[in-house]
Amino acid sequence: DGTGAGLGITSTSDAALSLSNSGNGNHTAIINYTGTGSAQAALNITSSNQNFTTLGVSGYETNHGTIKITHTGGQPSDANAAALSIDLTATSSATAAQGIFITSSTGTTTGSLIEARNNINKSLFTVRSTGDVGLADAGADARLEIAAYTAGTPYLYISSGANTDGDIMSILSNGNIGIGTTSPWRTFSVKGTIGLDTTLTDSSGTPGSLCYNTSTFEMTKNNAL
């Protein structure tokens, strides 16, 4: 028909193609592209209907995903490849579409909305159904909870640039917090100038002054005013 298609099906009412398979262990449809074209896909689906979804997939699984995407390759030749690539294109200057939208339209889910792993037994990034976000903690109990993934790895770096790791602030796995340093030597360590504009008090409310010990190089509170 001049379109280059091996199979052309046209329908103006019901489904143009309906496949059914009741067998066990067999796929209902297999699509295999053996070409080497740089712009040809094994399956290309387009729709001009702006009122509904281009591709709808529905399933009921207990141990598998409704959609499973597997990328098979080897590094470094596939460094620019992705198991899932989303491209938001615009017919004008911009688009207002969302890259990823996750919702539970009927009822609620008690499972995680997002779970990312690079090792089957270790969670890297989790968004729970409560909205709590966990880094290396699939059971986050706060809006943001960071757990140790590798022993000795810093919990948090706030940096002024891509190659200045933690030069603004760092939190280490031992709980030490550093301002201006990635190697805090005490629970709270500051490398730089500290400015205070308040009255210092201890846990009982007794006012005092902040003193610098030149022998231990530590700040201590002196109650003798």
Side-chain angles (χ1 to χ4, degrees), residues 176-209:
N176 287 0
I177 300 174
I179 302 297
T181 176
T182 57
S183 303
W185 56 97
R186 291 291 186 270
T187 303
F188 183 69
S189 304
V190 177
K191 184 178 180 181
T193 303
I194 300 176
L196 299 174
D197 185 15
T198 185
T199 300
L200 299 174
T201 60
D202 58 20
S203 59
S204 63
T206 303
S209 59

Side-chain angles (χ1 to χ4, degrees), residues 112-150:
S112 299
L113 295 176
I114 299 176
E115 176 72 21
R117 298 185 177 191
N118 202 27
N119 183 295
I120 194 170
N121 295 318
K122 291 185 178 181
S123 173
L124 294 177
F125 175 74
T126 303
V127 179
R128 303 188 65 190
S129 59
T130 57
D132 294 343
V133 176
L135 298 180
D137 186 354
D141 297 311
R143 280 305 174 209
L144 176 62
E145 184 167 349
I146 303 174
Y149 183 77
T150 303

